[in-house]
Amino acid sequence: MGGSPPFRQRGLYAVPLILDGVCVRQQGETWLDDINLELSSGMTTLIGPLTSGKTTLMRVVAGLTAPTSGRVVVNGMDVSAISVRKRSVAFVYQQFINYPSLTVYQNIASPLRGYDRKKIDSRVREVAALMGIEDLLARRPSELSGGQQQRTAIARALARPVDVLLLDEPLANLDYKLREQLRADLKGMFADVPGMVLYSTTDPAEALLFAAPTVVLGEGRVQQVGDVAELYDRPPSLAVAAALSDPPLNVLPGEGGLLGVRPHQVAIERTGDDDLVLPAEIRVAEVTGSVTFLHLLLEDGRHLVAQLPGTQLFTPGERTTAYINPAHLLVFDEAGAARG
């Protein structure tokens, strides 16, 4: 995809986004609890399970939800009391939100009212080229695929240069093939931009692909901030390990704490002499894409999920043995903090 990065025209440099003690409480429930973050220019990934508070945090930054307490600072300016329209923030949602009666060109141009016509035309074509939809400008949203509609929504968000671009799980409603393509495109598009891009996801694969600074959110709190590869390899807590595991992390009781193991690290053939050996019964076997999931019932009543490569046939009720290399075990204390 061609074109220059979308923020270049403003000549912005580092544009930190600061959340200072942000809390959101509604109807007796705490949605965000004392969020303190300073996010610099470029891309940051925000990851956490459903209901972790990701969308609420983004709505607070955009001005769509008022914080109960705390401040939001964009580019050195406290915007906590500034209306949505006056904030230099753009928001892209999961859903394909475009104006159905307007063409793609008109959708992208809609935030640019008041600009010179030639500048509008130049900007629309620039971001359309960036998103790979320059051949679709005369079409309406109903004539587009899901991926093309989301590209249009992102292009519209990019049309007016902003300090902060928020993307709230923008690929969640696309099929697997489209997600893979757009992931690669977005990674290249937001590399080294001088504006602030905050990308929300529940998918660890996306976070690992983007390889951007990562904020792990859980239960409305910041669990950890850091390099996503390091957080994946050496999670400092059970909450972080769970957020960065898909399929869900297997958690088993251990001596004085908990043991975590990712499903793809559970085997049904011995991998080494030191393997943990766990006799089990196959309860469910399901094939998804090019992998097979085994839901196992261990002899002591615990449950374990194994993710095996390829499509394999198993019979529910069949006996098997699960093997786990001790090097793959994540060890936590009773409070969920990493041990060792």
Side-chain angles (χ1 to χ4, degrees), residues 224-254:
Q224 196 71 32
V225 180
D227 177 84
V228 65
E230 292 182 6
L231 293 177
Y232 180 86
D233 290 336
R234 293 177 292 279
S237 68
L238 179 59
V240 171
L244 291 172
S245 296
D246 183 29
L249 186 74
N250 290 299
V251 181
L252 303 172

mmCIF file of all heavy atoms in Angstrom, residues 224-254:
data_model
loop_
_atom_site.group_PDB
_atom_site.id
_atom_site.type_symbol
_atom_site.label_atom_id
_atom_site.label_comp_id
_atom_site.label_asym_id
_atom_site.label_seq_id
_atom_site.Cartn_x
_atom_site.Cartn_y
_atom_site.Cartn_z
ATOM 1 N N GLN A 224 -0.314 -4.988 33.770
ATOM 2 C CA GLN A 224 1.102 -4.878 33.448
ATOM 3 C C GLN A 224 1.266 -4.069 32.171
ATOM 4 O O GLN A 224 0.380 -4.041 31.317
ATOM 5 C CB GLN A 224 1.715 -6.272 33.238
ATOM 6 C CG GLN A 224 3.220 -6.315 33.263
ATOM 7 C CD GLN A 224 3.794 -6.088 34.663
ATOM 8 O OE1 GLN A 224 3.177 -6.462 35.654
ATOM 9 N NE2 GLN A 224 4.955 -5.463 34.734
ATOM 10 N N VAL A 225 2.415 -3.405 32.042
ATOM 11 C CA VAL A 225 2.790 -2.697 30.823
ATOM 12 C C VAL A 225 4.190 -3.175 30.456
ATOM 13 O O VAL A 225 5.071 -3.262 31.318
ATOM 14 C CB VAL A 225 2.802 -1.163 31.028
ATOM 15 C CG1 VAL A 225 3.193 -0.450 29.741
ATOM 16 C CG2 VAL A 225 1.448 -0.673 31.528
ATOM 17 N N GLY A 226 4.410 -3.500 29.182
ATOM 18 C CA GLY A 226 5.751 -3.933 28.804
ATOM 19 C C GLY A 226 5.825 -4.473 27.404
ATOM 20 O O GLY A 226 4.887 -4.340 26.600
ATOM 21 N N ASP A 227 6.949 -5.092 27.088
ATOM 22 C CA ASP A 227 7.167 -5.729 25.800
ATOM 23 C C ASP A 227 6.331 -7.004 25.736
ATOM 24 O O ASP A 227 6.410 -7.863 26.621
ATOM 25 C CB ASP A 227 8.654 -6.064 25.642
ATOM 26 C CG ASP A 227 8.939 -6.804 24.354
ATOM 27 O OD1 ASP A 227 9.101 -6.141 23.315
ATOM 28 O OD2 ASP A 227 8.967 -8.050 24.393
ATOM 29 N N VAL A 228 5.538 -7.139 24.677
ATOM 30 C CA VAL A 228 4.564 -8.227 24.639
ATOM 31 C C VAL A 228 5.241 -9.595 24.586
ATOM 32 O O VAL A 228 4.746 -10.560 25.200
ATOM 33 C CB VAL A 228 3.590 -8.043 23.449
ATOM 34 C CG1 VAL A 228 4.306 -8.163 22.104
ATOM 35 C CG2 VAL A 228 2.430 -9.034 23.550
ATOM 36 N N ALA A 229 6.365 -9.718 23.901
ATOM 37 C CA ALA A 229 7.057 -11.008 23.839
ATOM 38 C C ALA A 229 7.563 -11.417 25.218
ATOM 39 O O ALA A 229 7.464 -12.588 25.612
ATOM 40 C CB ALA A 229 8.203 -10.950 22.839
ATOM 41 N N GLU A 230 8.103 -10.452 25.968
ATOM 42 C CA GLU A 230 8.579 -10.756 27.319
ATOM 43 C C GLU A 230 7.422 -11.115 28.245
ATOM 44 O O GLU A 230 7.527 -12.029 29.078
ATOM 45 C CB GLU A 230 9.357 -9.571 27.876
ATOM 46 C CG GLU A 230 10.685 -9.315 27.166
ATOM 47 C CD GLU A 230 11.448 -8.168 27.781
ATOM 48 O OE1 GLU A 230 10.990 -7.645 28.827
ATOM 49 O OE2 GLU A 230 12.488 -7.783 27.227
ATOM 50 N N LEU A 231 6.315 -10.391 28.107
ATOM 51 C CA LEU A 231 5.151 -10.692 28.943
ATOM 52 C C LEU A 231 4.600 -12.073 28.627
ATOM 53 O O LEU A 231 4.108 -12.776 29.511
ATOM 54 C CB LEU A 231 4.063 -9.635 28.727
ATOM 55 C CG LEU A 231 4.382 -8.218 29.200
ATOM 56 C CD1 LEU A 231 3.236 -7.276 28.851
ATOM 57 C CD2 LEU A 231 4.643 -8.194 30.707
ATOM 58 N N TYR A 232 4.670 -12.475 27.364
ATOM 59 C CA TYR A 232 4.185 -13.805 26.972
ATOM 60 C C TYR A 232 5.107 -14.897 27.510
ATOM 61 O O TYR A 232 4.651 -15.892 28.070
ATOM 62 C CB TYR A 232 4.108 -13.893 25.452
ATOM 63 C CG TYR A 232 3.620 -15.233 24.937
ATOM 64 C CD1 TYR A 232 2.261 -15.504 24.814
ATOM 65 C CD2 TYR A 232 4.525 -16.233 24.573
ATOM 66 C CE1 TYR A 232 1.814 -16.736 24.353
ATOM 67 C CE2 TYR A 232 4.089 -17.463 24.109
ATOM 68 C CZ TYR A 232 2.731 -17.705 24.001
ATOM 69 O OH TYR A 232 2.295 -18.932 23.547
ATOM 70 N N ASP A 233 6.417 -14.692 27.348
ATOM 71 C CA ASP A 233 7.383 -15.717 27.767
ATOM 72 C C ASP A 233 7.514 -15.816 29.282
ATOM 73 O O ASP A 233 7.659 -16.908 29.828
ATOM 74 C CB ASP A 233 8.754 -15.425 27.161
ATOM 75 C CG ASP A 233 8.787 -15.641 25.657
ATOM 76 O OD1 ASP A 233 7.950 -16.413 25.156
ATOM 77 O OD2 ASP A 233 9.645 -15.025 24.995
ATOM 78 N N ARG A 234 7.462 -14.656 29.951
ATOM 79 C CA ARG A 234 7.659 -14.623 31.403
ATOM 80 C C ARG A 234 6.566 -13.779 32.050
ATOM 81 O O ARG A 234 6.840 -12.684 32.577
ATOM 82 C CB ARG A 234 9.045 -14.077 31.741
ATOM 83 C CG ARG A 234 10.180 -14.983 31.299
ATOM 84 C CD ARG A 234 11.538 -14.376 31.593
ATOM 85 N NE ARG A 234 11.775 -13.205 30.759
ATOM 86 C CZ ARG A 234 12.196 -13.275 29.502
ATOM 87 N NH1 ARG A 234 12.419 -14.434 28.930
ATOM 88 N NH2 ARG A 234 12.391 -12.169 28.794
ATOM 89 N N PRO A 235 5.335 -14.249 32.029
ATOM 90 C CA PRO A 235 4.242 -13.454 32.613
ATOM 91 C C PRO A 235 4.457 -13.233 34.103
ATOM 92 O O PRO A 235 4.747 -14.193 34.832
ATOM 93 C CB PRO A 235 2.993 -14.296 32.334
ATOM 94 C CG PRO A 235 3.509 -15.684 32.135
ATOM 95 C CD PRO A 235 4.851 -15.543 31.512
ATOM 96 N N PRO A 236 4.324 -11.998 34.580
ATOM 97 C CA PRO A 236 4.558 -11.725 35.998
ATOM 98 C C PRO A 236 3.406 -12.141 36.900
ATOM 99 O O PRO A 236 3.548 -12.108 38.126
ATOM 100 C CB PRO A 236 4.745 -10.204 36.022
ATOM 101 C CG PRO A 236 3.935 -9.715 34.870
ATOM 102 C CD PRO A 236 4.054 -10.770 33.815
ATOM 103 N N SER A 237 2.284 -12.497 36.291
ATOM 104 C CA SER A 237 1.139 -12.898 37.106
ATOM 105 C C SER A 237 0.245 -13.825 36.302
ATOM 106 O O SER A 237 0.325 -13.900 35.071
ATOM 107 C CB SER A 237 0.334 -11.671 37.552
ATOM 108 O OG SER A 237 -0.292 -11.069 36.435
ATOM 109 N N LEU A 238 -0.622 -14.514 37.027
ATOM 110 C CA LEU A 238 -1.596 -15.391 36.380
ATOM 111 C C LEU A 238 -2.528 -14.584 35.475
ATOM 112 O O LEU A 238 -2.905 -15.038 34.385
ATOM 113 C CB LEU A 238 -2.387 -16.145 37.443
ATOM 114 C CG LEU A 238 -3.485 -17.094 36.948
ATOM 115 C CD1 LEU A 238 -2.909 -18.163 36.034
ATOM 116 C CD2 LEU A 238 -4.190 -17.746 38.146
ATOM 117 N N ALA A 239 -2.902 -13.377 35.899
ATOM 118 C CA ALA A 239 -3.804 -12.532 35.098
ATOM 119 C C ALA A 239 -3.179 -12.193 33.751
ATOM 120 O O ALA A 239 -3.852 -12.215 32.717
ATOM 121 C CB ALA A 239 -4.149 -11.260 35.867
ATOM 122 N N VAL A 240 -1.888 -11.877 33.749
ATOM 123 C CA VAL A 240 -1.206 -11.556 32.492
ATOM 124 C C VAL A 240 -1.086 -12.795 31.619
ATOM 125 O O VAL A 240 -1.317 -12.750 30.405
ATOM 126 C CB VAL A 240 0.181 -10.944 32.774
ATOM 127 C CG1 VAL A 240 0.993 -10.802 31.494
ATOM 128 C CG2 VAL A 240 0.027 -9.590 33.457
ATOM 129 N N ALA A 241 -0.729 -13.922 32.210
ATOM 130 C CA ALA A 241 -0.618 -15.165 31.447
ATOM 131 C C ALA A 241 -1.952 -15.531 30.805
ATOM 132 O O ALA A 241 -2.009 -15.947 29.638
ATOM 133 C CB ALA A 241 -0.147 -16.297 32.364
ATOM 134 N N ALA A 242 -3.047 -15.367 31.552
ATOM 135 C CA ALA A 242 -4.370 -15.699 31.021
ATOM 136 C C ALA A 242 -4.754 -14.759 29.885
ATOM 137 O O ALA A 242 -5.320 -15.187 28.870
ATOM 138 C CB ALA A 242 -5.403 -15.641 32.139
ATOM 139 N N ALA A 243 -4.446 -13.467 30.019
ATOM 140 C CA ALA A 243 -4.789 -12.499 28.977
ATOM 141 C C ALA A 243 -4.039 -12.770 27.689
ATOM 142 O O ALA A 243 -4.531 -12.462 26.597
ATOM 143 C CB ALA A 243 -4.495 -11.084 29.466
ATOM 144 N N LEU A 244 -2.849 -13.350 27.793
ATOM 145 C CA LEU A 244 -2.017 -13.601 26.625
ATOM 146 C C LEU A 244 -2.065 -15.066 26.191
ATOM 147 O O LEU A 244 -1.149 -15.552 25.520
ATOM 148 C CB LEU A 244 -0.574 -13.178 26.901
ATOM 149 C CG LEU A 244 -0.362 -11.665 27.030
ATOM 150 C CD1 LEU A 244 1.053 -11.347 27.489
ATOM 151 C CD2 LEU A 244 -0.658 -10.967 25.703
ATOM 152 N N SER A 245 -3.114 -15.769 26.555
ATOM 153 C CA SER A 245 -3.270 -17.171 26.168
ATOM 154 C C SER A 245 -4.598 -17.373 25.449
ATOM 155 O O SER A 245 -5.657 -17.065 25.987
ATOM 156 C CB SER A 245 -3.219 -18.086 27.408
ATOM 157 O OG SER A 245 -1.964 -18.025 28.025
ATOM 158 N N ASP A 246 -4.511 -17.883 24.242
ATOM 159 C CA ASP A 246 -5.699 -18.217 23.461
ATOM 160 C C ASP A 246 -5.347 -19.441 22.613
ATOM 161 O O ASP A 246 -4.460 -19.342 21.759
ATOM 162 C CB ASP A 246 -6.120 -17.058 22.564
ATOM 163 C CG ASP A 246 -7.405 -17.356 21.793
ATOM 164 O OD1 ASP A 246 -8.237 -18.128 22.315
ATOM 165 O OD2 ASP A 246 -7.548 -16.847 20.666
ATOM 166 N N PRO A 247 -5.999 -20.572 22.879
ATOM 167 C CA PRO A 247 -7.103 -20.867 23.787
ATOM 168 C C PRO A 247 -6.739 -20.575 25.251
ATOM 169 O O PRO A 247 -5.578 -20.369 25.561
ATOM 170 C CB PRO A 247 -7.350 -22.371 23.566
ATOM 171 C CG PRO A 247 -6.689 -22.691 22.282
ATOM 172 C CD PRO A 247 -5.542 -21.772 22.167
ATOM 173 N N PRO A 248 -7.761 -20.586 26.127
ATOM 174 C CA PRO A 248 -7.523 -20.228 27.520
ATOM 175 C C PRO A 248 -6.450 -21.093 28.182
ATOM 176 O O PRO A 248 -6.299 -22.275 27.889
ATOM 177 C CB PRO A 248 -8.897 -20.446 28.170
ATOM 178 C CG PRO A 248 -9.862 -20.249 27.057
ATOM 179 C CD PRO A 248 -9.203 -20.813 25.850
ATOM 180 N N LEU A 249 -5.725 -20.477 29.090
ATOM 181 C CA LEU A 249 -4.670 -21.134 29.837
ATOM 182 C C LEU A 249 -5.252 -22.250 30.710
ATOM 183 O O LEU A 249 -6.276 -22.076 31.358
ATOM 184 C CB LEU A 249 -3.976 -20.103 30.720
ATOM 185 C CG LEU A 249 -2.740 -20.537 31.505
ATOM 186 C CD1 LEU A 249 -1.550 -20.687 30.568
ATOM 187 C CD2 LEU A 249 -2.430 -19.496 32.586
ATOM 188 N N ASN A 250 -4.595 -23.417 30.699
ATOM 189 C CA ASN A 250 -4.935 -24.462 31.661
ATOM 190 C C ASN A 250 -4.336 -24.086 33.012
ATOM 191 O O ASN A 250 -3.151 -23.738 33.098
ATOM 192 C CB ASN A 250 -4.345 -25.801 31.224
ATOM 193 C CG ASN A 250 -5.018 -26.390 30.007
ATOM 194 O OD1 ASN A 250 -6.212 -26.673 30.034
ATOM 195 N ND2 ASN A 250 -4.257 -26.570 28.932
ATOM 196 N N VAL A 251 -5.121 -24.135 34.057
ATOM 197 C CA VAL A 251 -4.644 -23.825 35.406
ATOM 198 C C VAL A 251 -4.917 -25.024 36.306
ATOM 199 O O VAL A 251 -6.064 -25.467 36.429
ATOM 200 C CB VAL A 251 -5.317 -22.563 35.972
ATOM 201 C CG1 VAL A 251 -4.777 -22.257 37.365
ATOM 202 C CG2 VAL A 251 -5.093 -21.373 35.048
ATOM 203 N N LEU A 252 -3.848 -25.542 36.905
ATOM 204 C CA LEU A 252 -3.936 -26.712 37.767
ATOM 205 C C LEU A 252 -3.378 -26.376 39.138
ATOM 206 O O LEU A 252 -2.469 -25.550 39.259
ATOM 207 C CB LEU A 252 -3.135 -27.876 37.172
ATOM 208 C CG LEU A 252 -3.521 -28.316 35.754
ATOM 209 C CD1 LEU A 252 -2.514 -29.337 35.238
ATOM 210 C CD2 LEU A 252 -4.934 -28.902 35.739
ATOM 211 N N PRO A 253 -3.874 -27.001 40.194
ATOM 212 C CA PRO A 253 -3.307 -26.764 41.527
ATOM 213 C C PRO A 253 -1.921 -27.374 41.628
ATOM 214 O O PRO A 253 -1.643 -28.446 41.084
ATOM 215 C CB PRO A 253 -4.299 -27.461 42.464
ATOM 216 C CG PRO A 253 -4.978 -28.484 41.610
ATOM 217 C CD PRO A 253 -5.020 -27.923 40.229
ATOM 218 N N GLY A 254 -1.029 -26.667 42.301
ATOM 219 C CA GLY A 254 0.319 -27.170 42.550
ATOM 220 C C GLY A 254 0.635 -27.041 44.024
ATOM 221 O O GLY A 254 -0.207 -26.614 44.821
#
